[in-house]
């Protein structure tokens, strides 16, 4: 199932639990950012770099701690695809990460994101930098998970409960 199919499947299978707050939901896929003097290049996590279960749980807990005070939530849809829901957030207009692999993305972020989403991109990068598993990855010479690419967002008038990914192994 590709990203669009999994997002569509998620939307079609949501269960209503509150209708009070306008909400924006976006995909949040883990990626590696290479930051240069004047550019930011996004790289995919190859199969050897995918996050394991413990890393996903550590990232989920840390992101939820960051988003919690704003009423936001993060969960995993699959091993390599997350989902962020934020109340009262502006829509986002970025494309799937595969559109930008190994490309400079600074202009895209400046042009397609409301300032609050740009701030969240940055906060997620700082958060991921501080997580222990990324220090271990770096020591082992593995690609670090330096942030999440937020994309495919939509705004809806109701807040939905999302069935998050559970380990299938």
């Amino acid at each position: 199932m590709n990203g669009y199919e999994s997002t569509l499947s998620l939307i079609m299978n949501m269960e209503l639990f509150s209708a009070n707050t306008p909400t924006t939901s976006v995909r949040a896929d883990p990626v590696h950012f290479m930051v240069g003097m004047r550019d930011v290049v996004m790289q995919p996590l190859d199969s050897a770099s995918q996050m394991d279960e413990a890393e996903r749980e550590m990232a989920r807990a840390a992101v939820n701690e960051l988003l919690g005070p704003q009423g936001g939530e993060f969960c995993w849809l699959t091993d390599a695809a997350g989902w962020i829901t934020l109340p009262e957030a502006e829509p986002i207009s970025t494309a799937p990460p595969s559109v930008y692999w190994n490309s400079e993305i600074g202009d895209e972020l400046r042009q397609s994101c409301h300032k609050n989403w740009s701030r969240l991109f940055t906060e997620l990068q700082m958060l991921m930098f501080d997580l222990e598993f990324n220090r271990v990855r770096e020591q082992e010479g593995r690609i670090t998970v330096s942030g999440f690419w937020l994309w495919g967002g939509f705004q809806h008038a109701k807040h939905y409960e999302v069935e998050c990914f559970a380990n299938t192994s």
Side-chain angles (χ1 to χ4, degrees), residues 4-52:
Y4 289 114
E5 291 169 340
S6 63
T7 301
L8 181 59
S9 172
L10 170 76
I11 293 165
M12 294 175 73
N13 293 309
M14 291 178 177
E15 292 181 26
L16 177 66
F17 75 88
S18 172
N20 299 330
T21 308
T23 300
T24 298
S25 297
V26 297
R27 279 280 300 268
D29 296 351
V31 296
H32 176 75
F33 294 114
M34 291 180 36
V35 180
M37 291 293 287
R38 296 181 182 192
D39 61 353
V40 178
V41 175
M42 183 171 50
Q43 294 184 316
L45 300 179
D46 59 24
S47 58
S49 304
Q50 292 297 322
M51 298 170 75
D52 64 30

Side-chain angles (χ1 to χ4, degrees), residues 67-166:
L67 298 176
Q70 301 146 12
E73 183 180 12
F74 172 84
C75 71
W76 291 103
L77 298 174
T78 69
D79 286 340
W83 188 257
I84 289 178
T85 301
L86 284 173
E88 300 180 17
E90 295 291 323
I92 192 170
S93 61
T94 53
S98 58
V99 171
Y100 307 106
W101 290 151
N102 300 309
S103 299
E104 203 286 317
I105 60 168
D107 288 339
E108 177 63 25
L109 287 175
R110 286 185 285 280
Q111 293 170 7
S112 65
C113 292
H114 184 271
K115 66 181 178 178
N116 291 333
W117 287 110
S118 294
R119 186 174 66 234
L120 181 58
F121 268 105
T122 302
E123 289 173 355
L124 289 168
Q125 288 176 53
M126 291 185 299
L127 179 73
M128 296 304 288
F129 178 81
D130 277 342
L131 292 180
E132 179 63 29
F133 74 80
N134 267 329
R135 287 188 219 121
V136 171
R137 281 172 168 254
E138 194 166 38
Q139 289 171 353
E140 294 173 350
R142 294 173 55 210
I143 293 175
T144 59
V145 180
S146 54
F148 290 90
W149 184 251
L150 308 177
W151 68 279
F154 66 98
Q155 196 166 39
H156 44 94
K158 299 172 173 43
H159 189 93
Y160 295 92
E161 183 174 318
V162 176
E163 183 175 331
C164 294
F165 172 75

